[in-house]
Amino acid sequence: MQNIKVVKRGRPAKNATYVPSIINFDNKVNKLSNLNIDPRMMKNMSTGLGIDKMFSHEGGIPAATNIMMIGDPGVGKTTVLLDVVSAAQNKGHKCLFISGEMGKKQMFKYTQRFKQFGNIETIFMQDFLEYNTKDVIEQVLDRGYDLVLIDSAAEIIDGVRDDNNWDRKMAEAWLVDICIKNNKGENKTEKFTSFLLIQQVTKSGEFAGSNKLKHLVDAMGEMRREPESQGAGTYINFIKNRNGLVDEKMYFQLSNSSIRYGAVVGA
């Protein structure tokens, strides 16, 4: 495994002599009316699924956007988001699934139930154990994708930590940086990549991660299961969304081979 030189940013270490940086602000302080944004960054990826209306007011996933999904174990996070990726792929968008948790056998069972998942370009991190996780993720993303699903962010962060002897803060900062880099189209095919990131939760069901990860995302959704007393329905609710609905529930139902999306109701 190759050695990685770690360059720390931000505050200097204690007892170090602080030398202020000379910052060049040319072309970095602009009037908002003069912002030059590539029109491709303003497009939306429609999937044709009912969940499109949850991602944005226009319908679909905006380009160069990061969406994080948390929720109860077994509620269907991976299944629903794979359905989204599959539908986006069928609409002509280049998509990738990075599986950090499930292996090939588990995913094969998925594709037997949900045939539409079989068209998704996928890498299994278990196939790259001899490589540095950081290198694997950076190099596969550099191929250029419209939409990438990562399951889960925590597994990738842990892999990068272990492979590079980093702390969690540094590994999370790396994930933020690599997402932003690809949001801006800095890959071989200049794709303004959007990310769907599944994140683990604590035992109490809360988001497991730092504020840096929260600030990365343009939208954070929850998938929850209601108590038996309320019917035990499953729903999606965005608690943060710069592009679409917030505090509106969309109920969904998983069958053996399909997903049905219901109406949107006030939370």
Side-chain angles (χ1 to χ4, degrees):
M1 187 176 298
Q2 69 184 75
N3 294 323
I4 303 295
K5 182 180 180 180
V6 178
V7 179
K8 294 187 177 181
R9 302 182 301 176
R11 294 182 179 179
K14 290 182 178 179
N15 302 321
T17 301
Y18 175 64
V19 179
S21 301
I22 305 300
I23 302 172
N24 180 6
F25 290 100
D26 292 346
N27 301 319
K28 293 184 175 64
V29 179
N30 299 293
K31 292 181 179 179
L32 295 179
S33 59
N34 293 333
L35 292 178
N36 185 18
I37 302 297
D38 191 305
R40 292 176 297 163
M41 294 184 72
M42 306 306 296
K43 292 184 177 181
N44 278 39
M45 284 177 276
S46 172
T47 68
L49 302 175
I51 194 174
D52 274 355
K53 67 186 75 172
M54 298 294 287
F55 290 126
S56 69
H57 295 299
E58 295 79 13
I61 301 172
T65 298
N66 302 308
I67 299 170
M68 186 166 285
M69 194 67 67
I70 64 172
D72 301 326
V75 74
K77 298 184 295 296
T78 303
T79 306
V80 168
L81 294 183
L82 280 172
D83 195 39
V84 169
V85 172
S86 174
Q89 177 112 359
N90 286 338
K91 291 283 188 178
H93 303 292
K94 188 178 179 183
C95 302
L96 175 69
F97 173 42
I98 299 176
S99 179
E101 297 195 353
M102 289 191 293
K104 291 180 179 178
K105 180 180 179 180
Q106 293 168 304
M107 281 306 304
F108 179 77
K109 290 182 178 179
Y110 254 108
T111 57
Q112 294 301 293
R113 290 178 56 198
F114 300 94
K115 299 294 185 182
Q116 68 270 31
F117 296 172
N119 73 333
I120 302 172
E121 191 170 330
T122 302
I123 68 166
F124 299 94
M125 294 307 298
Q126 294 178 3
D127 291 342
F128 298 92
L129 296 179
E130 71 272 31
Y131 297 100
N132 190 305
T133 302
K134 176 179 178 291
D135 295 339
V136 175
I137 299 300
E138 289 178 353
Q139 291 180 34
V140 74
L141 293 180
D142 194 46
R143 291 156 57 99
Y145 292 91
D146 295 306
L147 182 62
V148 175
L149 169 60
I150 297 179
D151 184 15
S152 65
E155 285 293 329
I156 299 303
I157 288 169
D158 285 344
V160 170
R161 286 181 62 194
D162 293 342
D163 291 348
N164 299 285
N165 295 316
W166 289 357
D167 60 22
R168 177 168 296 277
K169 182 177 180 181
M170 190 174 295
E172 286 185 346
W174 165 84
L175 180 61
V176 170
D177 288 345
I178 197 65
C179 287
I180 292 175
K181 175 183 177 181
N182 285 275
N183 290 157
K184 295 189 295 184
E186 295 178 7
N187 48 63
K188 289 179 180 177
T189 54
E190 298 183 348
K191 295 280 190 181
F192 297 106
T193 310
S194 290
F195 289 88
L196 300 173
L197 302 135
I198 296 175
Q199 178 62 335
Q200 297 174 354
V201 295
T202 63
K203 291 182 179 179
S204 61
E206 300 298 321
F207 170 79
S210 69
N211 286 332
K212 181 178 285 290
L213 280 181
K214 285 185 178 181
H215 294 156
L216 159 71
V217 298
D218 302 279
M220 179 174 290
E222 298 179 313
M223 291 189 190
R224 300 295 187 186
R225 181 178 291 107
E226 292 178 331
E228 291 287 344
S229 60
Q230 297 180 21
T234 50
Y235 65 88
I236 302 164
N237 170 47
F238 278 91
I239 55 179
K240 169 187 174 180
N241 196 345
R242 293 171 180 154
N243 300 294
L245 300 176
V246 176
D247 291 332
E248 300 278 345
K249 291 182 179 179
M250 168 174 274
Y251 286 85
F252 66 94
Q253 186 174 15
L254 301 180
S255 71
N256 188 51
S257 60
S258 64
I259 305 169
R260 187 175 60 150
Y261 301 97
V264 176
V265 299

